[in-house]
């Protein structure tokens, strides 16, 4: 899917990496990764796409976004690796 927005492409990559987990655990892990490693503009872009009900977002990524809040970063979490 060339031309896909980076947020969507990276979100799909995260979904592929965590989709073997139970859905709620996967959504939580994806949200943790996004909070730790995505810059605020990327998080804001994702949340805007979710609010606009963008059809190009995987359902698990939308579920993960429900765990996010605009500007939300837990500095303590950044020290711990995601997926653990």
């Amino acid at each position: 899917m060339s031309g896909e927005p980076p947020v969507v492409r990276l979100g799909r990559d995260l979904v592929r990496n965590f989709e073997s987990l139970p859905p709620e655990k996967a959504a939580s892990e994806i949200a943790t990764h996004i909070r730790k490693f995505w810059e605020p503009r990327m998080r804001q872009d994702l949340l805007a796409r979710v609010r606009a009900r963008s059809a190009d977002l995987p359902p698990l990524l939308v579920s993960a976004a429900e765990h996010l809040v605009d500007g939300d970063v837990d500095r303590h979490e950044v020290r711990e690796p995601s997926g653990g």
Side-chain angles (χ1 to χ4, degrees):
M1 295 187 152
S2 69
E4 192 171 54
V7 166
V8 175
R9 182 178 47 79
L10 292 170
R12 287 185 192 282
D13 289 345
L14 285 172
V15 167
R16 276 192 294 276
N17 286 323
F18 290 104
E19 68 187 349
S20 64
L21 297 174
E24 185 55 37
K25 176 73 172 163
S28 176
E29 291 294 334
I30 291 168
T32 296
H33 179 90
I34 290 170
R35 270 195 307 276
K36 288 181 181 183
F37 300 110
W38 285 22
E39 11 176 274
R41 289 179 306 209
M42 292 175 64
R43 290 193 304 270
Q44 291 167 0
D45 185 14
L46 173 62
L47 291 172
R49 289 173 186 281
V50 169
R51 285 186 203 106
R53 300 184 189 274
S54 181
D56 58 352
L57 297 177
L60 187 53
L61 185 58
V62 173
S63 294
E66 293 172 1
H67 294 269
L68 302 173
V69 176
D70 283 325
D72 182 29
V73 175
D74 183 342
R75 296 294 173 196
H76 177 71
E77 267 191 352
V78 172
R79 296 182 200 146
E80 300 296 322
S82 58

